[in-house]
Amino acid sequence: MIWSLDIAMLFFLVVAALAAISVKDLLSAVIILSLYSLIMAIVWVELRAVDVAFTEASVGAGITTVLFIFALVRTTGRSED
Amino acid sequence: MIEDLILAKYNYWIYVTLMMIGFYAVIAKKNLVKKVIGLNIFSTAIFLFYISIGDVIGGTEPIYIHGEHVVYVNPIPHVLILTGIVVSVSITAVALALIIKIYEEFGTIEEDQILELQS
Amino acid sequence: MIFDNAPALVVIFPLIAAITVPIIGYYNKRLIPYYVTLVIFCSFIFSISNLRTVMQTGSISYTMGGWEPPFGIEYAIDYLNGFVSIVVIFIIFIVSIYAKKSVEQELPGRTINFYTVFLLLTAGLQGLIVTGDLFNVYVFLEISSIAAYALVSVGKSRDALMASMNYLIIGTVSASFILLGIGYLYMVTGTLNMADLADRLPLAFDERPKVVLAAFAFFLVGFSIKVGLFPLHTWMPDAYSLAPSAVSAMLASTFTKVAAYVMIRVMFTIFKPDFIISTVHAHTILAWLAAIAIIAGSVLAIAQTDFKRMLAYSSVSQIGYIILGVALMNQIAMTGGVIHIMNHGIMKAALFMVAGAIIYKTGIRNINDFKGIGKTMPYTSAAFTLVALSMIGIPPTVGFVSKWYLALGAIEAGMWVFVGVIMLSSLLNIVYFWRVFENMYFYRAEGGKVDEVPLSMLLPILILAALTFLLGVLALYPLKEIMAPMVQIILPG
Amino acid sequence: MKEEDVIIRTVIRLIVPFIQIFGLYVIFHGGSGPGGGFQGGVILAASMILYVMAFGVTGGRRKLTEKTNMIMRSTGVLIFSGIGLLAILFGGKYLDYGAVPLPFIHHAAEVRALLIDGGVEVGIGITVMAVMVTIFLEFYPGGTSDD
Amino acid sequence: METIITIKPLLAVLIPLICAVLIIFSSKHPNIRDGWSVAAGVVLFLTVLSMLPDILAGSVIQFTVIEMLPNLPIKFKVDAFGELFGLTSSFLWIFTTFYSIGYMRSLKEHAQTRYFFCFSIAIVGAIGIAFSANLFTLFLFYEVLTVSTYPLVIHNETPEAMSGGRKYLLYLMTAGIFLFFSVAAVYYYTGTTDFAFNGILDGHGIPVVMLKILFITFMIGSAKAAFMPLHSWLPSAMVAPTPVSALLHAVAVVKAGVFTATRVILYVFGVDLMGETGIGLMMAYFVCITIIVASFYAMTHDNLKKRLAYSTVSQLSYIVLGVSMLTPDGITGGMLHIPYHAFMKITLFMCAGAIIVTAKMENISEMKGIGRKMPITMLAFTVGAMGMAGAPPVAGFVSKWFLLLGSVELNQLPILIVLLASALLNVAYFFPVIYTAFFQKPDKELTFGEASPFMLVPLTLTAIGSLILGIWPDAPYLFLELVNVAVQNVTTGGI
Amino acid sequence: MRILPLITVLLVGALLIWSAQDMPDMGDPNAPTNLHVAPYYIEHSEEEVGVENIVSAILADYRGYDTLGETTVIFTAGVSVLLLLRRRED
């Protein structure tokens, strides 16, 4: 385990989470959420949870994002907060 | 002492932070998609917590390596969180379907505007 | 042989049936309602078999996959969940009969998916009840919750969508809290099996008290939301009043009760009464919250003019009864609380069915427009009258039985305030039910031709109404044979 | 048809089988390495999603009709729970794979391994894939929902 | 004492219940429907009557229907006191039924089926209360009575009737809730609710403060007896049709209230406990206030039914006063006043109803000279009024005599004064009615005669009954004998 | 208006942080989780289930019932979306 990398990852996680909830453009927010999931997957690989990381990468970063994007296509991409 | 507390449990602090961020988005944001994003962050934070408690220093992935005596990390939280992720994506899907439907009916996905439109 | 596996089958049966519904529906749509009713009836039989086994040979431990408890998932059935299981599946059975016509009218062309989700909700609730594994609780909680969100959302009005959305968000937050609580307990004990957890928790509490306390807090908040305890009830009135009739009847009478059961299970089987009383004093807080819920729910119910909404607020108040019974921490009150799970389930199902029947026939939701319904729908109105009297607590109905035990329990606990609360709430119940009653019967309205709902809707209402009376008169049997040993197990002393 | 479309479609047409094989590999490999029914199912669904995005709903429907999808959704869980019921039928507890008598295999652990890799994981994979595709198609603009 | 187990008490409750069901099913045929009511009334009375010899012989009739909750059965027990009330109400029910038929038909009232249905259920409640063996059964029928009389009270369905009905319901349901609590508390402390001749609560070491609180909740619970701060439902219930008022005032509801209060005082608390704790005397003084104040209220009302209502409030308190004196004579007077007041008050109400139906008059000041047009009615009214004031030879004299004896025995001068003063007040508010009716000249020509025989015959009979009871109170099988047995029971603890 | 959510969130956060003090250290091999049920799985899963991936063994067998539930959750979500978004199903 590489401490600094780990800490950096976790730091990125927080930044990504904050960005995802504060960006006004929902599409960006969703992309950031996908990125967040991806970082999370890497963190989990670090924690030796490969199965979970695999799932998170394919579901959290993959399918969830796709669903979000198409839901946004069907609704609106703008948010007021 | 305080370094111990911070360093030995840093994952927990991160998970607490993430959870607060997600939770805040869920209850404070008016945009429904934002709420769902918040839910996702909220639940992933909990997953991070689960995975963190299963970790063992110097352990390896819980897949058998024959012939060697190794320490494996605790596999149970992994199993639980696999379920958790599935549940999370299911709820996201249902929530998004609802949002699509709400947009069709109300023409907006801002909670306060919908409340005004309701009878 | 098949009854040896009844603990599993009680859940598996509706689950597998749910999966096959779309396939059957693809070939013959009209079969589905009968199929669903049949399946639920089978599950009901299995439930009865379970309770019989419990009464004959003591608690059941059914190991999934044959793995011994701490390692595999265990289904643990004792008097408490054997009883709740029967009650819940019976009400669902009755609702499933009622649902046929009501769904045909309210959700034309969506019956296949409706019934699939309906059965999944059934399976989810049953799973929640019989399971003895904490994480399994979470899984089944989510199955039933997702099904419930979907079922609420298909209500006629577009507001139902928003109600469902709120329900989803609050529900998911609560489930997440519960998940977190499970994680905390797992962290300090290393096990997920309830019985094993209960054994290891005292030691864990000595070592890491803060984690256990936090876990308790999360469970309390999480389940309070699911149960709909007063300040956290906000999702409930919208969800229950805007859902389709059959769904309102089902959710209001089963879901919150099951959540209350799980809450009891977690509080009493895992944390143990001693811990609650002497360590966290949660019972005092809970009892006061319940008292506030009882009063506030009734007051809010009085303020409503929409019948279903009024019933939903009445649920808020009735949930308070259950929680009050649990929180008073003595055997008598506990009996009252647990038996109120059954009583309120039956009564609320009947009332929501009446509401649905009136909507089915006339489309009226507003109480002030009920004038003359006593003449046009005499049987429905009569059933309503009986059930409303039971809600008020007139003997010898079931409503009286619970109030009796709760009042005795409150006296036993020396909490006279709560006796007063129960009395006051009875009065408030009279106020809001009598308004309906008056409108139904006592305003001369023209018309007056009998125009009742179809038999498949009327019969369930009548059965439940009859049960509110019969189970009241014959309350001694369940009290002696089921409640007494049950209370002895979960709250010894 | 634009030139880009042609390129994308050709590439996707080429890629999809590989993704699907990978998905199947992940499903069947669940026993010995990371992966399993769930991840594999999602990968299979992803291949289908790619296909729909390139060839449209009608194109996707040719590959996976509404009826097949519906049946697959159910079959997956049916396989899983069916194996459980099979165990009951042969005198075991629910989901006690070891109780199922398979020809030529006598060791309970082997039976379990075989049923997990060849039955349970496959069941999960099928359901996950079918459901994901269903949801995606419902969300897809001009998908199967009727508005 | 011998305990006889027969199904008769249950039968007595079932007869009107079955009658109610039959009424619903024959709603299309008014004659058959009303026939059921009359038949049930007669059969019921005979059933109750058939139990009288055994009771007078000192036996107790008992029947357990079902044990609903642990040690909380639905159980009937007929003792002398219960038989007293049962006999009174079942006998008078026949008259009210006849009278109702006459009243409803001559006014061509709406919803007659509902009316007679609820009427039958009301008598179920009254009989059930009379024969209940424990507080729980009593509470059950108490609620039945409340619920079933509500539709009767608001029978007119005018806004006025509705608001009067709401008040009625609110008071009585609140009372029911308090009674519920009291029953629960008794059960909690003693583990039983079965009435005992020497009281249930005695000997359980319950703190006196608790006993007092319990007594107060019990008395709030018997608000049907219309004690003074809780009386106002009774005048508002006057919006009901007159037969209902007669039923409420004379036969069922208020009598159920005082019956409950008496049961509580004598059979739950017991003579000893009431005396030791001083609750008895407290209660006696308390009801004295009601007696006096209600009489003054009565004088201020010009509406005949309202005046009668306040008279009832005042007279009911006589009963409780007598009982809470806890002396044999006092109790005798109190208990005797239950049937006696019933006879007299029902006469008065039937007269009022006859006047309303035929003369279309409700206020006393309008009734100038009607005595000449309706001599029988007004004579009956005079008999009733005299009885109320306690003048011989009407029944009221006998009960008041015993009450006076009781107060002397207790050596309580204030109570004696109250009794005498109240007699005067009674004269003061009834005399004007009689005077107006007989001696004042009518303002305009009066064009009506006596009411229909359906109404006239019952009121004449009850008036005659009041006279017989007054002239020959100790006739065999009449109430005094029964009361003596009951008093014997409570003063000796049933030995 | 946003102050109430913030307070709620901070309260929850405070509870979490407060309770985290008592938690076992990250990766502590002697944490209760690593002493009780997990060692059994690690030792026995291969011989009992015959699968090398311990996670898979637990997922599909020891806690196979959870996984059935999980699959059902997915299935529920699928049907729920259909129920929501489709007006007619044929």
Side-chain angles (χ1 to χ4, degrees), chain E residues 72 74 336:
Chain E
L72 208 64
I74 297 177
L336 261 186

Side-chain angles (χ1 to χ4, degrees), chain C residues 400 419 434 438 442 444 472, chain E residues 68 110 136 150 156-157 166:
Chain C
F400 170 78
V419 183
W434 216 266
E438 244 177 31
F442 296 117
R444 300 179 207 192
Chain E
M68 194 176 136
H110 70 285
F136 168 65
Y150 169 78
N156 290 335
E157 295 181 6
R166 271 188 215 124

Side-chain angles (χ1 to χ4, degrees), chain B residues 5-6 12-13 20 22-23 27 33 36 40 43 47 52 54 59 64 68 75 79 87-89 112-113 115 119:
Chain B
L5 208 61
I6 292 171
Y12 298 148
W13 310 131
M20 283 161 73
F23 193 34
I27 56 180
V33 174
V36 179
N40 267 297
S43 44
F47 302 159
S52 304
Y64 275 112
E68 287 175 58
V79 176
V87 168
S88 163
V89 70
D112 38 0
Q113 293 172 11
L115 287 179
S119 44

Side-chain angles (χ1 to χ4, degrees), chain B residues 68-111:
Chain B
E68 287 175 58
H69 184 76
V70 284
V71 180
Y72 297 102
V73 298
N74 186 348
I76 300 176
H78 302 180
V79 176
L80 305 183
I81 288 325
L82 275 177
T83 310
I85 291 174
V86 176
V87 168
S88 163
V89 70
S90 303
I91 287 188
T92 308
V94 175
L96 290 175
L98 264 171
I99 290 175
I100 291 175
K101 199 80 182 168
I102 286 174
Y103 187 78
E104 277 172 14
E105 296 281 348
F106 292 94
T108 173
I109 50 171
E110 302 287 327
E111 198 181 20

Side-chain angles (χ1 to χ4, degrees), chain C residues 156-394:
Chain C
K156 235 177 191 166
S157 144
R158 66 175 187 173
D159 295 354
L161 291 169
M162 206 50 212
S164 169
M165 190 73 207
N166 279 331
Y167 185 15
L168 184 143
I169 286 169
I170 299 175
T172 308
V173 168
S174 87
S176 300
F177 278 152
I178 293 167
L179 182 62
L180 203 56
I182 295 170
Y184 271 36
L185 286 192
Y186 176 69
M187 179 185 224
V188 293
T189 60
T191 180
L192 290 164
N193 184 280
M194 288 186 186
D196 199 25
L197 254 175
D199 290 342
R200 297 178 154 263
L201 208 55
L203 190 71
F205 180 69
D206 290 342
E207 282 177 7
R208 310 175 197 283
K210 288 175 188 167
V211 181
V212 178
L213 287 176
F216 186 79
F218 281 124
F219 277 123
L220 205 62
V221 175
F223 282 117
S224 295
I225 293 176
K226 284 284 175 196
V227 170
L229 193 58
F230 174 61
L232 303 172
H233 71 287
T234 45
W235 58 270
M236 208 156 99
D238 278 340
Y240 285 179
S241 58
L242 296 169
S245 308
V247 176
S248 304
M250 173 155 173
L251 281 185
S253 55
T254 55
F255 203 156
T256 41
K257 309 298 166 305
V258 173
Y261 153 74
V262 182
M263 193 169 176
I264 297 173
R265 179 59 81 199
V266 169
M267 278 173 66
F268 287 82
T269 306
I270 296 180
F271 283 98
K272 300 286 180 200
D274 272 354
F275 175 81
I276 296 165
I277 295 171
S278 47
T279 314
V280 284
H281 309 292
H283 62 299
T284 331
I285 305 164
L286 261 185
W288 279 103
L289 280 179
I292 296 170
I294 292 173
I295 300 300
S298 306
V299 171
L300 288 169
I302 292 173
Q304 308 302 321
T305 50
D306 182 310
F307 188 36
K308 278 179 85 175
R309 224 178 152 72
M310 183 195 97
L311 293 179
Y313 275 109
S314 147
S315 272
V316 173
S317 139
Q318 300 286 320
I319 293 293
Y321 280 123
I322 298 175
I323 302 299
L324 180 65
V326 172
L328 284 173
M329 287 289 166
N330 60 55
Q331 291 197 340
I332 303 172
M334 180 61 103
T335 309
V338 174
I339 205 152
H340 200 60
I341 290 180
M342 170 177 89
N343 297 349
H344 181 237
I346 291 174
M347 295 187 291
K348 223 0 102 52
L351 287 173
F352 269 112
M353 282 182 186
V354 168
I358 291 171
I359 291 171
Y360 180 89
K361 212 64 215 178
T362 63
I364 296 171
R365 297 175 65 107
N366 191 318
I367 296 167
N368 296 324
D369 299 336
F370 274 15
K371 297 183 175 71
I373 281 180
K375 282 210 182 88
T376 54
M377 303 173 74
Y379 299 106
T380 311
S381 312
F384 168 80
T385 310
L386 187 59
V387 179
L389 289 179
S390 175
M391 290 288 282
I392 294 167
I394 307 272

